[in-house]
Amino acid sequence: KAVTESSRDEIRFLGKGPNAVVRPGVVLIAPTDEFHHFYRQSAIFVYAMGLDDNQEEVIRGVILDHPTPFTMEEMAGLEGRLSDSLLYRGGN
C-alpha cells in the first residue's frame, strides 16, 4: 500500500503479481513526511516477492541506507578522517 500524491488520507493498493507497481528490482524511497523510525530517510531495495511457508503474499527487501544519529567515533572508537562520518545501518 502507498499514499498517493493527491491525498495523504487515501491509500492505494499497488497491485499483485505481474500487475504490481512494486516488483523485484525496484528501490522504494521514503517520503519526506515518513515518521516510522526504521523507514524514515531510507531507501529499500525490493529483491523478492512471492508466497511464504503459510502461503501468504510477502515482499522481501533490504534497507540500503539508514542514517543513525551516531558518528563512527562514537560507536566504533574510530579516529582520523572518518571519525566524524555518520554511521549507517541496513539489512532489515
Side-chain angles (χ1 to χ4, degrees):
K1 295 180 179 180
V3 178
T4 63
E5 291 298 319
S6 62
S7 168
R8 294 289 179 197
D9 296 329
E10 178 185 339
I11 295 180
R12 179 172 64 102
F13 180 64
L14 295 177
K16 190 171 167 179
N19 297 323
V21 175
V22 175
R23 57 180 49 110
V26 168
V27 175
L28 303 173
I29 306 296
T32 56
D33 59 349
E34 178 61 59
F35 64 90
H36 190 279
H37 63 282
F38 283 129
Y39 306 130
R40 191 172 161 270
Q41 298 180 335
S42 292
I44 300 173
F45 173 69
V46 175
Y47 66 88
M49 295 176 70
L51 300 177
D52 66 7
D53 294 339
N54 298 319
Q55 300 301 307
E56 294 182 22
E57 188 78 23
V58 294
I59 299 174
R60 299 198 187 274
V62 176
I63 297 176
L64 298 177
D65 62 337
H66 184 95
T68 70
F70 307 106
T71 65
M72 294 293 288
E73 180 180 21
E74 291 172 314
M75 296 305 289
L78 188 66
E79 295 181 14
R81 292 186 335 181
L82 297 177
S83 64
D84 291 332
S85 298
L86 280 181
L87 182 64
Y88 283 75
R89 180 178 88 169
N92 287 345

